[in-house]
Amino acid sequence: MSNSSFNRQWAKVILEALTRHGLRHICIAPGSRSTPLTLAAAANHKLTCHTHFDERGLGHLALGLAKASKEPVAVIVTSGTAVANLYPALIEAGLTGERVIFLTADRPPELIDCGANQAIRQQGIFATHPSKTLSLPRPTTDIPASWLVSTLDNAMNTLVHGALHVNCPFAEPLYGDDVKTSTPWTEALGHWWQSDKPWLQESLFTSVSTHPQWDVIRQKKGVVIAGRISPEEGVEVAKWASQLGWPLLGDVLSQTGQPLPCADLWLNNPQTKSELNKAEIVIQFGSSLTGKRLLQWQVGCSPKTYWIIDPIPGRLDPGHHQGEKFTLSPMQWLTAHSAVDNSPWTNALTNIAKQTYQKVSEITDYFGEAQVAHQLDKLLPNDGQLFVGNSLIVRLIDAFAQLPQGYPVMSNRGASGIDGLISTSAGAHRATEKPTLTILGDLSALYDLNSLALHQQVYAPNVIIVVNNNGGQIFSMLPTPEAERERFYCMPHSLNFKHAAAMFGLHYVSPTSWDALLTTVQKCWAGAPITTLIELIVDDTDGAKTLNQLVKQVTSHDFSMSAI
């Protein structure tokens, strides 16, 4: 068999083995060295192939697909700097738990460190960020196919979260006739080809038992923190906390309905702190908290007991509390720790949250990003999903909005970067084929501008709202040096996105009032499955000023009065 043909057989086994672990979507960038993997993926009828010309965006497309589908997604790229461009998406997957398999084609060993073209040191390129790393040998019949499939099975069987990096060297020639029939090398796998099971199966048993102190603890004064969890988990955590009579501090990504909204505004209030300090136990579901004041309270609180429940292993507590970490899903934990009917031990927080939300409604009555953040729930499509960008907009939504309980909300809040947000939302849209609302800032949109090309492929109405406040206004909230703030931090650009939308064939609208925005979005949801880019050109600093103003006002307010 020719070298090119055996490369194809080797790649065919790799892709088929991965499908046995639920792989259905694969994202492919153009490249020559990756030809065996690309053609094997194209020939596998179990796989849906997605393409993009930019590897950085491609990695985030896979991240979005995995985020929304809850299934493993693979990426194929060629050798060289194409591999390095996957780094941001790989890091994010490691922090937020999506299972993404990065298949990186490579030059064979004899072409490394000798001046060969497009040959870099790829083994270990991602350091400790992948959950698992495989460095495969050059394809050879001396290695049985059973070794290849069992090696991949072993990695996938234990890939509970994060990225798997599989480095795949291929020697030339890369092109030639494929061997359509089976070969002795592939025939050695026997009936495996006709089955749908992995060659090597492994069952991971997660034993969940009730904590021995739970009967006593659930009668105490508790506080629940909800970070990034799934819509189903958000509903159950909210119900569970309510039954126990414990206040719930819900993040924008918690999907709990945030029963105590605007927590990022009132958590610094002395009355609030005094009330919360009565808690004897804090139980946190999920990580990646957004709000600054919630993070500060989480770090500074000192209850007798602190528990964290999250399926991502490792330490997820920046406050380093003495307590316990339960590495399992919130649903598994809730099943073993039933609530009892308790009366709320504090009604003060409900009153504080209600008054604060009313004040937000009054102060955000002008058109701008603060008003849009506060009323974002009115823009959401029925049976749809929301993808939120980073920097200022996610903080405004977290502080001002109250999103529907159980409504799917996604974001890249692991490393909280602005790279790849447009491409990640494209992946989320493709995975679910549901109406999708994406909202992000202007610098984030500029950073990933070429990934607007991914939004040409749509399955349902798709809306991207770009909040254009002319730069990175998150820095206007920080104590950055005023003289250097604009040039080195905010970096105003005086650009708009009308021509970008036209370049990628997207519908474009730029409403100048809330009513116009609401009407535009409602028409999008009722219309054909196209992508509409909505640009909101707003005052540079009003959003940041509004957030700072409300934080100061609520922090110093005496809530013993009937209203703020």
Side-chain angles (χ1 to χ4, degrees), residues 141-291:
T141 55
D142 292 337
I143 297 175
S146 57
W147 174 88
L148 183 57
V149 292
S150 63
T151 298
L152 290 162
D153 286 342
N154 183 59
M156 290 300 296
N157 285 336
T158 55
L159 186 69
V160 179
H161 82 288
L164 166 62
H165 175 212
V166 185
N167 199 55
C168 309
F170 293 105
E172 294 182 349
L174 302 168
Y175 304 94
D177 294 333
D178 182 28
V179 176
K180 301 297 183 182
T181 58
S182 59
T183 66
W185 186 78
T186 56
E187 282 179 351
L189 296 175
H191 293 294
W192 177 81
W193 288 105
Q194 285 74 49
S195 75
D196 59 358
K197 304 295 183 184
W199 179 269
L200 176 65
Q201 300 183 57
E202 179 179 354
S203 299
L204 300 178
F205 295 99
T206 304
S207 177
V208 185
S209 56
T210 304
H211 195 283
Q213 299 178 26
W214 180 238
D215 283 341
V216 175
I217 285 177
R218 65 184 181 178
Q219 301 290 347
K220 294 181 178 292
K221 294 178 179 179
V223 170
V224 177
I225 297 176
R228 184 188 62 249
I229 54 181
S230 73
E232 298 77 18
E233 291 166 347
V235 171
E236 292 304 317
V237 166
K239 186 189 302 182
W240 181 83
S242 176
Q243 187 176 353
L244 284 168
W246 293 1
L248 169 61
L249 306 179
D251 183 83
V252 63
L253 299 182
S254 70
Q255 294 149 111
T256 57
Q258 296 152 296
L260 298 175
C262 308
D264 196 47
L265 300 180
W266 48 258
L267 272 170
N268 262 4
N269 183 280
Q271 290 173 266
T272 299
K273 290 182 177 180
S274 175
E275 196 71 12
L276 287 172
N277 285 342
K278 298 175 185 177
E280 300 166 284
I281 178 170
V282 173
I283 299 182
Q284 177 180 334
F285 295 89
S287 56
S288 297
L289 303 178
T290 301

Side-chain angles (χ1 to χ4, degrees), residues 289-532:
L289 303 178
T290 301
K292 183 177 181 180
R293 266 60 61 179
L294 178 55
L295 278 165
Q296 289 173 339
W297 185 82
Q298 188 264 357
V299 168
C301 71
S302 54
K304 294 179 180 178
T305 306
Y306 197 104
W307 290 351
I308 296 181
I309 298 95
D310 196 297
I312 297 177
R315 196 169 43 157
L316 299 175
D317 174 20
H320 311 296
H321 295 92
Q322 181 179 6
E324 295 187 49
K325 162 71 191 307
F326 302 85
T327 304
L328 69 170
S329 74
M331 296 296 276
Q332 290 172 311
W333 197 90
L334 291 174
T335 299
H337 297 83
S338 59
V340 290
D341 293 319
N342 293 333
S343 298
W345 65 264
T346 173
N347 290 314
L349 294 181
T350 303
N351 181 48
I352 289 170
K354 183 178 179 180
Q355 291 186 46
T356 303
Y357 189 81
Q358 180 181 348
K359 184 61 179 176
V360 171
S361 300
E362 295 169 359
I363 206 169
T364 59
D365 59 354
Y366 62 92
F367 184 62
E369 54 191 319
Q371 184 191 47
V372 172
H374 176 56
Q375 301 191 81
L376 190 63
D377 60 303
K378 296 180 174 63
L379 301 178
L380 298 175
N382 294 328
D383 191 29
Q385 58 192 3
L386 171 65
F387 185 87
V388 182
N390 283 323
S391 295
L392 183 57
I393 189 61
V394 70
R395 288 167 172 82
L396 293 177
I397 296 170
D398 184 68
F400 297 163
Q402 187 172 28
L403 300 177
Q405 188 180 87
Y407 194 90
V409 184
M410 289 166 278
S411 189
N412 288 349
R413 292 297 296 170
S416 300
I418 65 168
D419 44 2
L421 297 178
I422 290 176
S423 42
T424 306
S425 75
H429 177 76
R430 294 185 186 195
T432 63
E433 300 186 3
K434 288 184 175 182
T436 304
L437 174 63
T438 299
I439 184 166
L440 73 166
D442 49 334
L443 286 190
S444 299
L446 289 171
Y447 204 107
D448 199 25
L449 193 66
N450 64 14
S451 289
L452 287 175
L454 295 170
H455 286 270
Q456 294 171 329
Q457 183 175 328
V458 292
Y459 304 88
N462 186 38
V463 174
I464 302 171
I465 297 178
V466 177
V467 181
N468 188 347
N469 55 24
N470 200 30
Q473 296 303 329
I474 185 68
F475 294 106
S476 64
M477 297 185 60
L478 302 174
T480 50
E482 189 171 352
E484 291 82 17
R485 184 173 296 154
E486 280 207 4
R487 182 183 178 191
F488 294 106
Y489 295 91
C490 295
M491 301 182 71
H493 48 77
S494 302
L495 301 173
N496 65 65
F497 291 82
K498 182 176 183 178
H499 295 294
M503 177 180 177
F504 292 102
L506 310 181
H507 185 53
Y508 173 87
V509 188
S510 183
T512 56
S513 69
W514 169 257
D515 289 340
L517 171 62
L518 183 60
T519 300
T520 296
V521 172
Q522 288 174 340
K523 287 182 178 178
C524 290
W525 302 140
I530 62 171
T531 296
T532 301

